């Protein structure tokens, strides 16, 4: 029995990647078994959380770690911890940040909707630079007695080839400015989990707190981790639901409660991610990309790229030529219509990327057939 069929929700063929809008991830057999095992017993959540977060820190090589309900909450809790430290009075005052250092600098070119997470705890984002360029002076002139941190989005660096973020300051420069001015660096590295060195890259550079989405390394959609310096991470823990329940603090993190299954899934998935053969994983995805390429080689009005690694998986890009009667967004909409629905990511007005890490090989025939129907 398929539960989605039972309730009348249509299946989606996912070539979009590990996206929240499609449920994030399909967990491995090992993670499923761990979740099932965890669901069969009750447990002291403080003991479980503190044990697993130490295991996570050891796996990554971080001074400290916290398992969170997503990367977004990791950013919120890190910001709260940076503002209050372990002061119980200040923790209970949040999100009222009166009297605290509460300004977080962010480059205009690195603004994304996800940076709202910084403001959840009551901090204020201070935008610097312009859509064309950010200079060192833009940041240093914005620093004052209320400045808490600089927020950084490493993903901005990955799209320089598209002309975006070209003149944003790099993270090395940002960290130096922060250290020179005794303020924190909080990094949103949500999907930056491969190569696995990325999980230690930013803390080794000197960032104080780094957030990752655990769905990207095989855990559940609503999970994440915060890693970094103990000074922030341990304070973030006090703001979490563990601080609320076990430290008897009236903290914001009670609304960010986690299941025991979530916490176990993060640890098991991370352990698997850090020890798996990633070359083999990529080869499997590349094989699927080549299969899809062969199946659509006769499709009119497109050119097809060679498979290319995109984030944690292989992507196959098709580009619509000038004779195609619609653009990439319209193609994506046509693919998503009907049952099953096929979701793919538009790269620009003329290109669509099909990511292979989240699509089953047996579904490639359906993808190819629908592309042929739409484009031929």
């Amino acid at each position: 029995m398929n539960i989605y069929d039972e309730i009348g929700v249509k299946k989606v063929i996912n070539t979009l990647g590990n996206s929240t809008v499609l449920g994030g991830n399909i967990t491995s057999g090992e993670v499923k078994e761990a979740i099932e095992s965890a669901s069969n017993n009750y447990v002291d959540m403080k003991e479980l959380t503190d044990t697993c977060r130490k295991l996570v820190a050891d796996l990554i090589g971080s001074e400290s770690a916290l398992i969170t309900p997503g990367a977004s909450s990791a950013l919120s809790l890190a910001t709260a911890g940076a503002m209050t430290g372990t002061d119980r009075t200040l923790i209970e005052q949040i999100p009222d940040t009166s009297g605290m250092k509460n300004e977080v600098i962010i480059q205009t070119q690195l603004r994304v909707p996800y940076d709202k997470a910084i403001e959840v705890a009551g901090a204020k984002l201070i935008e610097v630079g312009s859509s064309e360029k950010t200079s060192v002076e833009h940041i240093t002139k914005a620093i004052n007695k209320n400045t808490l941190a600089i927020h950084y989005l490493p993903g901005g660096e990955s799209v320089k080839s598209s002309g975006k973020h070209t003149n944003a300051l790099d993270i090395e420069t940002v960290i130096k400015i922060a250290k020179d001015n005794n303020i924190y660096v909080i990094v949103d590295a949500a999907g930056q989990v491969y190569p696995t060195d990325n999980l230690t890259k930013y803390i080794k550079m000197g960032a104080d707190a780094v957030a990752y989405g655990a769905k990207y390394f095989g855990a559940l959609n609503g999970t994440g981790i915060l890693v970094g310096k103990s000074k922030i991470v341990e304070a973030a823990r006090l703001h979490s639901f563990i601080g609320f329940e076990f430290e008897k603090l009236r903290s914001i993190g009670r609304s960010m409660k986690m299941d025991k299954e979530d916490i176990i899934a993060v640890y098991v998935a991370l352990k698997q991610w850090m020890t798996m053969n990633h070359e083999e994983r990529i080869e499997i995805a590349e094989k699927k990309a080549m299969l899809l390429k062969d199946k659509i080689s006769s499709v009119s009005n497109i050119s097809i790229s060679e498979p290319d690694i995109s984030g944690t998986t292989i992507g196959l890009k098709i580009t619509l030529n000038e004779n195609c009667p619609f653009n990439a967004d319209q193609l994506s909409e046509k693919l998503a219509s009907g049952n099953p629905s096929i979701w793919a990511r538009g790269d620009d007005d003329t290109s669509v990327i099909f990511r292979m890490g989240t699509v089953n090989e047996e579904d490639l025939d359906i993808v190819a057939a629908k592309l042929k129907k739409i484009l031929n």
Side-chain angles (χ1 to χ4, degrees):
M1 183 191 70
N2 184 310
I3 189 62
Y4 299 125
D5 290 340
E6 180 184 326
I7 64 175
V9 174
K10 66 183 177 182
K11 172 186 174 181
V12 171
I13 295 175
N14 180 11
T15 67
L16 195 64
N18 296 114
S19 175
T20 291
V21 298
L22 292 179
N25 184 51
I26 294 177
T27 55
S28 69
E30 185 176 345
V31 173
K32 285 184 174 72
E33 288 176 9
I35 290 170
E36 178 65 23
S37 177
S39 70
N40 289 328
N41 293 282
Y42 295 99
V43 69
D44 179 325
M45 291 296 288
K46 178 175 180 288
E47 181 183 5
L48 175 67
T49 300
D50 285 344
T51 297
C52 285
R53 72 190 189 91
K54 184 180 186 305
L55 291 169
V56 165
D58 290 344
L59 280 169
I60 289 177
S62 174
E63 191 174 296
S64 188
L66 183 66
I67 297 173
T68 64
S72 182
S73 67
L75 292 172
S76 299
L77 293 171
T79 306
M83 285 190 290
T84 67
T86 58
D87 187 309
R88 295 177 68 92
T89 300
L90 294 180
I91 289 170
E92 295 196 338
Q93 182 182 318
I94 293 287
D96 175 5
T97 59
S98 303
M100 305 179 202
K101 289 186 175 183
N102 63 359
E103 293 184 2
V104 178
I105 294 170
I106 185 168
Q107 298 181 67
T108 297
Q109 295 175 41
L110 301 183
R111 291 301 307 265
V112 292
Y114 302 106
D115 58 41
K116 184 71 175 179
I118 299 293
E119 298 175 310
V120 167
K124 300 175 182 177
L125 281 169
I126 307 299
E127 196 172 305
V128 301
S130 69
S131 58
E132 287 76 36
K133 182 178 181 180
T134 308
S135 67
V136 170
E137 290 72 26
H138 283 136
I139 293 181
T140 55
K141 285 181 179 179
I143 296 172
N144 60 66
K145 62 182 178 62
N146 294 318
T147 304
L148 175 76
I150 304 173
H151 181 43
Y152 198 84
L153 179 71
E157 299 172 347
S158 68
V159 291
K160 286 184 178 180
S161 60
S162 69
K164 299 176 184 176
H165 311 317
T166 304
N167 294 313
L169 288 178
D170 58 75
I171 190 166
E172 293 89 349
T173 302
V174 166
I175 288 172
K176 183 179 186 308
I177 295 170
K179 299 311 171 191
D180 288 347
N181 290 275
N182 196 31
I183 57 178
Y184 297 116
V185 174
I186 300 172
V187 178
D188 177 2
Q192 308 285 310
V193 302
Y194 183 79
T196 55
D197 288 351
N198 281 352
L199 289 162
T200 58
K201 176 180 178 179
Y202 305 110
I203 52 179
K204 284 181 177 178
M205 285 180 174
D208 299 285
V210 187
Y212 296 93
K215 68 182 179 184
Y216 294 106
F217 55 73
L220 297 167
N221 189 32
T223 59
I225 55 174
L226 173 67
V227 299
K229 303 291 178 57
S230 293
K231 185 175 182 179
I232 286 187
V233 178
E234 297 304 314
R237 175 189 172 276
L238 292 176
H239 282 276
S240 76
F241 79 100
I242 294 298
F244 185 99
E245 297 289 353
F246 291 93
E247 307 291 345
K248 303 305 177 186
L249 284 162
R250 190 170 177 269
S251 59
I252 62 169
R254 182 60 178 80
S255 62
M256 305 175 194
K257 181 172 66 174
M258 300 188 73
D259 292 328
K260 55 189 184 299
E261 293 85 356
D262 294 335
I263 294 164
I264 285 293
V266 170
Y267 163 62
V268 174
L270 180 62
K271 181 173 67 171
Q272 191 173 36
W273 186 255
M274 298 298 283
T275 56
M276 75 167 56
N277 184 333
H278 285 281
E279 289 184 2
E280 182 179 319
R281 175 182 65 81
I282 291 169
E283 283 175 7
I284 292 169
E286 189 170 22
K287 178 188 173 186
K288 288 188 284 187
M290 292 306 297
L291 282 171
L292 180 59
K293 184 178 181 181
D294 289 343
K295 291 176 188 294
I296 62 173
S297 60
S298 63
V299 173
S300 304
N301 298 324
I302 64 170
S303 59
I304 310 169
S305 72
E306 290 300 312
D308 183 47
I309 191 160
S310 175
T312 59
T313 188
I314 293 291
L316 185 71
K317 182 164 79 171
I318 69 168
T319 300
L320 309 176
N321 67 26
E322 59 185 14
N323 296 319
C324 189
F326 39 77
N327 62 28
D329 285 342
Q330 290 168 328
L331 174 58
S332 296
E333 289 172 6
K334 289 176 182 293
L335 286 167
S337 65
N339 189 8
S341 177
I342 300 167
W343 286 42
R345 187 180 300 276
D347 188 44
D348 51 41
D349 286 343
T350 61
S351 300
V352 176
I353 293 176
F354 296 84
R355 289 185 172 149
M356 296 291 108
T358 50
V359 63
N360 297 321
E361 186 173 324
E362 57 267 28
D363 287 331
L364 295 178
D365 284 331
I366 300 173
V367 176
K370 196 158 186 178
L371 278 169
K372 288 175 183 178
K373 183 178 179 180
I374 294 169
L375 292 166
N376 281 343

